[in-house]
Amino acid sequence: MELVLASNNPHKVTEVRRILNGIAVRTPAELGVSFAFEETGSTYDQNALGKARHLHSLIGMPTLADDSGLAVAALGGAPGVRSARFAPPGEELDDAGRCAYLLSLLHGAAHRSAAFICCIAIVLDAQRLLLVQERVAGRIAQQPRGARGFGYDPVFLVGGGGRTMAELSDAEKDRVSHRGRALRRAGALLRRPAPPAS
Amino acid sequence: MELVLASNNPHKVTEVRRILNGIAVRTPAELGVSFAFEETGSTYDQNALGKARHLHSLIGMPTLADDSGLAVAALGGAPGVRSARFAPPGEELDDAGRCAYLLSLLHGAAHRSAAFICCIAIVLDAQRLLLVQERVAGRIAQQPRGARGFGYDPVFLVGGGGRTMAELSDAEKDRVSHRGRALRRAGALLRRPAPPAS
């Protein structure tokens, strides 16, 4: 089983390979393919399936795409599908800037419930698809903590615990994370024998 | 595990219950809910997820929806997502009428390859989804044959064999059909223990 990951994000490539062990995960760059996709969908599934389909149309091999985000209850579910582009109007931010911006919006807020959401879409061929969307619940911290992970990991307190996602080891993160849960479910399906041929 | 099926089609209800044995499948009517959804998507996944999400918004319970169709190579993949509404402009047809209309379009055609496609979407809650799309390959027969099944089953010769889908027993159909394959994969995921709580 070989999949090509529709992403240029090295953090995602590392996590997907770690979690889908036993399944060969290639990147567009390794295949000499230039991959770009504008995430204009209003849902994670639209973005993930859109990316996986677009890459499949370019290379004709099974593809996998991830669309993830953070839903903060006190912000009505924002930043949601716009998590990677979250910023004040007209600005562009990096990971640390987005974490600081999120904390500024929640300054003094007592209700800090949030969830990380991950949608994994797999295009096996033009007629066969898999999609799994999972989440992990938590709260937004008062300050960033931890140096591991990426994105909003430093401000996301996992579950009812006192550690942020960026303070967990790789194995601890994968066990509870939105991406770990979605990829393990998708991987279990990929590893099952295919339905009988016809 | 209990799911509510986003369908008013008694044939689909029967097949889904038969294949997902061990999982309780309810219908909107049994719950006293009126369910209607206009299938305007350009893909099976959009229609299936749209139906499952709409029903979930009405009842707040896990829902399952199916969108299926027939892709005929000589017709450029038609009728596809419009399979249930396939007809000459301005006309409405029943199952037998649609089979006859399809055969008339393929009159004398030597290349009769086709595939039945089934997309199963499951909305567990607002943040957790599953979707499996599978297919079964076959050919379009010269004449309808068989009295079982529904839809285009009487004109679909399964795989390289000489029997139409409407000539198979329930067990034979479920073993090879697009719906059997997609539902078994989805059911395997549903029956696995949920990822660890957080």
Side-chain angles (χ1 to χ4, degrees), chain A residues 5-9 12 28 33-58 64-67 81 84-85 121 123, chain B residues 46:
Chain A
L5 178 59
S7 177
N8 300 309
N9 180 332
K12 283 198 186 177
V33 174
S34 169
F35 176 72
F37 186 82
E38 197 182 352
E39 297 180 350
T40 57
S42 59
T43 57
Y44 301 106
D45 56 275
Q46 287 172 9
N47 285 331
L49 264 177
K51 281 191 279 192
R53 279 194 167 115
H54 178 56
L55 182 59
H56 180 75
S57 74
L58 295 177
L64 182 150
D66 157 310
D67 195 44
V81 289
R85 301 173 292 289
V123 172
Chain B
Q46 286 172 9

Side-chain angles (χ1 to χ4, degrees), chain A residues 111-182:
Chain A
H111 183 53
R112 306 179 79 87
S113 297
F116 264 137
I117 293 157
C118 175
C119 185
I120 297 291
I122 296 170
V123 172
L124 293 168
D125 58 47
Q127 298 175 329
R128 300 178 63 224
L129 309 173
L130 295 175
L131 183 143
V132 182
Q133 184 172 304
E134 277 289 347
R135 64 129 184 277
V136 56
R139 288 174 299 122
I140 302 302
Q142 298 288 344
Q143 297 295 332
R145 278 209 322 266
R148 307 183 66 94
F150 63 104
Y152 296 92
D153 285 353
V155 295
F156 187 86
L157 292 161
V158 183
R163 288 193 295 171
T164 70
M165 196 77 99
E167 294 180 301
L168 304 184
S169 71
D170 291 346
E172 287 172 324
K173 178 180 180 181
D174 294 346
R175 190 167 57 82
V176 298
S177 79
H178 52 319
R179 190 166 293 112
R181 291 170 182 200

Side-chain angles (χ1 to χ4, degrees), chain A residues 17-103:
Chain A
R17 283 187 168 145
R18 204 166 65 208
I19 300 165
L20 282 186
N21 63 73
I23 295 173
V25 177
R26 308 279 175 238
T27 65
E30 288 170 2
L31 301 176
V33 174
S34 169
F35 176 72
F37 186 82
E38 197 182 352
E39 297 180 350
T40 57
S42 59
T43 57
Y44 301 106
D45 56 275
Q46 287 172 9
N47 285 331
L49 264 177
K51 281 191 279 192
R53 279 194 167 115
H54 178 56
L55 182 59
H56 180 75
S57 74
L58 295 177
I59 59 169
M61 294 168 61
T63 59
L64 182 150
D66 157 310
D67 195 44
S68 315
L70 178 68
V72 179
L75 302 178
V81 289
R82 293 191 40 77
S83 292
R85 301 173 292 289
F86 193 44
E91 291 188 38
E92 283 194 25
L93 299 173
D94 62 8
D95 276 3
R98 280 187 285 272
C99 286
Y101 178 51
L102 176 67
L103 291 179

